[in-house]
Amino acid sequence: MYKIVEKEHFSENVVKLIVEAPMIAQSRRPGHFVIVRIGEGGERIPLTISAADTVKGTITLVVQAIGESTRKICALEIGDCFTDIVGPLGQATHIENVGTVVCCGGGVGVAPLLPIIKAMKEAGNRVVSILAARTSDLIILEKEVSEYSDEVIIMTDDGSKGQKGLVTAGVESVINREKVDLVVAIGPAVMMKFVSLTTKKYDIPTMVSLNTIMVDGTGMCGACRVTVDGKTKFVCIDGPEFDAHKVDFDEMIMRLRAYN
């Protein structure tokens, strides 16, 4: 069993859970995710590993209560256990020193972005992080992101914190003042789509981490399929990260809406 040893509320519907999972903690890399389940017959929920402590043998998961299963997970308390945690799954992020990297996180997308920010900084890059949300209450992990960033820009739709505007405005402000070598974006599909459209104008390589519907996490079911460069890919085994300029976001968004 995978016991919860720490719990923190970021907001009413977003919680951070630190869970005992020593083997996963040892082998995870930035970009990896796990699939969790609570209760016999429970739904399988994919969650990116936000952090890991190899000494304590723990992994950090950030969960947003959206449906019945995620609400049950968010209701778990310290001492409770997950029935299953499978992972690490997916392909790890390719990390290298490219120069200046702009890392964009939307809402809970900041959680999977954090280990990438850390790894990019440790590889010698200049890292500019842009955190975006509808309102200030939904900005998460700002302190942790700041620790590994040369600069942090906050964007909120209502202007309650940082600058008022969308994440794309923050991206363009950086592009217009300095050379950007890579952009990484993780968040809602529509956010990643418009970040991709923005960077494509400037011919800046852009990586996104896709958050499609997943079932088995091993490429068998095909539920997470997306079209990348005209070819069908499975997010769970080929991703979750892809070249943003090759992703068919409109198709992906349409498939996500089918599950609403």
Side-chain angles (χ1 to χ4, degrees):
M1 302 290 278
Y2 301 89
K3 187 167 69 174
I4 296 169
V5 295
E6 290 185 39
K7 179 180 182 179
E8 178 183 350
H9 282 271
F10 286 144
S11 66
E12 182 181 356
N13 294 316
V14 180
V15 300
K16 180 179 81 171
L17 301 174
I18 298 181
V19 186
E20 289 181 344
M23 292 182 67
I24 297 174
Q26 287 286 345
S27 55
R28 61 58 84 172
R29 297 291 181 271
H32 280 152
F33 68 95
V34 293
I35 289 184
V36 307
R37 188 171 66 97
I38 55 170
E40 293 302 324
E43 184 181 6
R44 295 160 61 87
I45 304 294
L47 298 169
T48 306
I49 304 168
S50 180
D53 188 321
T54 55
V55 176
K56 295 181 179 178
T58 60
I59 59 173
T60 301
L61 306 174
V62 175
V63 190
Q64 182 176 25
I66 298 174
E68 180 181 356
S69 296
T70 47
R71 283 195 295 270
K72 288 180 179 178
I73 293 172
C74 289
L76 295 173
E77 298 295 344
I78 294 173
D80 291 337
C81 297
F82 285 92
T83 305
D84 298 308
I85 299 184
V86 179
L89 301 171
Q91 301 295 321
T93 305
H94 176 71
I95 303 294
E96 64 176 324
N97 188 337
V98 296
T100 296
V101 181
V102 175
C103 296
C104 310
V108 293
V110 176
L113 188 66
L114 177 59
I116 297 173
I117 292 171
K118 181 176 183 288
M120 286 293 185
K121 183 59 184 174
E122 290 174 347
N125 294 286
R126 167 173 162 78
V127 178
V128 178
S129 297
I130 303 175
L131 310 185
R134 294 192 308 274
T135 184
S136 60
D137 293 342
L138 301 178
I139 297 290
I140 66 171
L141 297 169
E142 180 183 355
K143 178 182 176 182
E144 290 84 350
V145 168
S146 299
E147 185 178 349
Y148 300 106
S149 303
D150 294 279
E151 180 183 0
V152 178
I153 298 171
I154 305 292
M155 305 292 301
T156 50
D157 293 357
D158 62 1
S160 55
K161 185 167 187 174
Q163 303 175 38
K164 183 177 182 179
L166 301 177
V167 65
T168 48
V171 172
E172 283 206 281
S173 70
V174 179
I175 292 172
N176 289 332
R177 77 180 190 206
E178 63 184 283
K179 181 179 182 297
V180 174
D181 300 285
L182 175 67
V183 172
V184 181
I186 307 180
V190 68
M191 169 223 152
M192 294 188 288
K193 172 186 174 180
F194 281 99
V195 169
S196 175
L197 290 173
T198 299
T199 59
K200 194 170 185 178
K201 293 188 301 183
Y202 300 95
D203 197 28
I204 298 173
T206 303
M207 179 180 72
V208 290
S209 181
L210 303 186
N211 45 15
T212 55
I213 299 297
M214 290 189 194
V215 178
D216 76 294
T218 63
M220 297 291 288
C221 70
C224 67
R225 65 187 181 276
V226 291
T227 300
V228 181
D229 199 21
K231 300 175 183 178
T232 298
K233 298 290 184 180
F234 296 144
V235 173
C236 67
I237 55 172
D238 298 317
E241 295 165 2
F242 296 95
D243 181 336
H245 300 155
K246 295 181 179 180
V247 174
D248 187 336
F249 281 104
D250 291 335
E251 178 192 63
M252 175 184 163
I253 291 169
M254 180 179 67
R255 294 194 67 246
L256 288 173
R257 286 175 179 164
Y259 288 88
N260 286 345

